[in-house]
Amino acid sequence: MRVLLTGAAGFIGSHIRRALTDAGDEVVAVDLMLAAAHGIDAAAPEQVHRVDVRDPDALTALLRGVDAVCHQAAVVGAGVSAADAPAYASHNDLGTAVLLAAMAETGVRRLVLASSMVVYGEGRYHTADGTPAVPAPRRRDDLDRGLFDHLDPETGEPLRWSVIDEDNPLCPRSLYAASKVAQENYANAWTAVTGGTVTALRYHNVYGDGMPRDTPYSGVAAIFRSALEAGESPRVFEDGTQMRDFVHVRDIAAANLAALHRPLPGFVPLNIASGTPISIREVADLLARAHHGKPPTVTGQYRPGDVRHIVASPERASALLDFSATIAPADGLTEFATAPLRPASGTGAPQWR
């Protein structure tokens, strides 16, 4: 199979490229090599076309003879300020719209789209007796007093988290999340217009070798790693009991390979997760022990827009793609504590023009 892979030089894209090549697929690799992801003046790796997905002519030329597209190119991270909004809208949303139009023009009808757990916003909750509950936004005065959990308005007791599935409503709470929802919406509409197929893989917290070093846009695992390498304690926000699902980048690559080789009809979103919940404090503890570094510091600091708990159900991906993650977070994070990171840090949100 001949696959156009966007974002092919990135953290996740490079792993997907390797998995596709190892599986015998032919990869047409493209990447804009944004400084935000690769550092200033980074050169494109060998056999990677330096192409902007917002360039319809370049995409149309590269799509000739392609069987499927694996779209990983994106500006990532939550966004540091409102000024980052045009970069997300331009690179992520316009870029996806241009790519979909070029696919329609060239007759390519299969897309695997990199989406994210951030499309859900807050996770799923229930009361102590198991009744589903939709939490109200956390109040700043509660957060200031160290009360981080969402509370049952009837009893005042903390709400308990439940696993979230793909039918949960989408409620983006960051610039990046808003752009990911827009990408999914464009892709869903494209399937209706063209009869094509889109599998949107909603990645949960991705980590692994080759992850970018500490920037305002890095994942928390890389931020903890960077602190340990600097001889500092990883700084854990809130009380550290926030629950997440951490999935290794090699499992992410395997999920993309499965989705490309098993196209599903229409638009299908799937959680890609390990299926093993873990707290942020446990992540920091695992990394610190494996790195032989300073133990984590639980700061009690908070960011008002942060999600308290979000844990995924991976059952639908297992049923439809025959995909299950193979790397448990405890094993993968222990390996990640000493795995190589990208040599250059990113520079922040890119220019949007």
Side-chain angles (χ1 to χ4, degrees):
M1 180 167 58
R2 184 176 171 88
V3 178
L4 176 68
L5 173 62
T6 72
F11 164 47
I12 293 174
S14 60
H15 282 270
I16 295 172
R17 183 186 179 199
R18 189 176 306 118
L20 287 169
T21 301
D22 290 347
D25 293 311
E26 181 183 356
V27 180
V28 180
V30 304
D31 200 299
L32 185 54
M33 303 302 297
L34 288 171
H38 302 281
I40 298 172
D41 297 327
E46 187 177 356
Q47 296 184 326
V48 173
H49 303 275
R50 191 161 192 160
V51 168
D52 190 333
V53 293
R54 299 168 298 177
D55 181 343
D57 294 334
L59 284 179
T60 299
L62 290 170
L63 281 165
R64 303 293 182 191
V66 161
D67 300 299
V69 174
C70 185
H71 184 33
Q72 306 295 315
V75 176
V76 300
V80 173
S81 74
D84 294 340
Y88 286 97
S90 180
H91 289 275
N92 296 3
D93 304 339
L94 176 60
T96 299
V98 172
L99 173 62
L100 291 168
M103 290 175 65
E105 181 180 341
T106 54
V108 181
R109 295 292 184 266
R110 292 171 55 189
L111 174 67
V112 174
L113 173 67
S115 189
S116 171
M117 68 174 190
V118 298
V119 298
Y120 298 118
E122 190 60 74
R124 180 177 285 178
Y125 296 85
H126 62 270
T127 61
D129 64 3
T131 303
V134 178
R138 295 186 293 176
R139 299 186 307 174
R140 188 177 290 271
D141 59 341
D142 287 336
L143 296 170
D144 287 338
R145 291 185 293 133
L147 300 177
F148 300 114
D149 280 310
H150 293 285
L151 302 179
D152 183 340
E154 299 294 327
T155 67
E157 294 297 314
L159 294 175
R160 304 179 183 182
W161 60 266
S162 303
V163 294
I164 201 163
D165 63 29
E166 293 84 353
D167 297 326
N168 211 71
L170 306 187
C171 185
R173 295 176 55 169
S174 70
L175 299 173
Y176 175 59
S179 74
K180 283 295 171 185
V181 171
Q183 284 184 303
E184 286 199 13
N185 286 338
Y186 276 112
N188 194 358
W190 178 85
T191 65
V193 172
T194 65
T197 70
V198 176
T199 304
L201 303 181
R202 292 174 178 168
Y203 305 155
H204 285 250
N205 293 267
V206 186
Y207 69 97
D209 49 294
M211 197 172 188
R213 294 183 181 276
D214 184 18
T215 79
Y217 300 85
S218 289
V220 68
I223 292 172
F224 289 165
R225 263 291 306 271
S226 295
L228 289 164
E229 289 189 348
E232 301 171 356
S233 294
R235 294 175 59 80
V236 178
F237 278 20
E238 301 190 11
D239 59 3
T241 65
Q242 311 93 297
M243 297 301 293
R244 297 290 190 272
D245 190 301
F246 279 73
V247 57
H248 198 280
V249 68
R250 292 198 296 271
D251 281 324
I252 293 290
N256 277 272
L257 187 65
L260 286 163
H261 284 265
R262 187 177 291 202
L264 303 171
F267 176 85
V268 180
L270 296 172
N271 286 327
I272 304 300
S274 72
T276 303
I278 187 170
S279 73
I280 296 298
R281 173 61 189 264
E282 288 177 282
V283 171
D285 282 336
L286 279 166
L287 291 172
R289 286 198 301 270
H291 200 274
H292 304 293
K294 291 182 178 179
T297 299
V298 179
T299 67
Q301 293 176 290
Y302 65 87
R303 290 169 294 201
D306 277 359
V307 169
R308 178 59 175 166
H309 305 294
I310 182 164
V311 174
S313 169
E315 293 180 3
R316 194 169 298 179
S318 177
L320 297 182
L321 293 183
D322 194 27
F323 164 79
S324 296
T326 61
I327 303 172
D331 296 332
L333 288 163
T334 298
E335 173 195 310
F336 177 63
T338 54
L341 298 180
R342 292 197 162 231
S345 296
T347 60
Q351 295 295 313
W352 59 273
R353 292 180 178 86

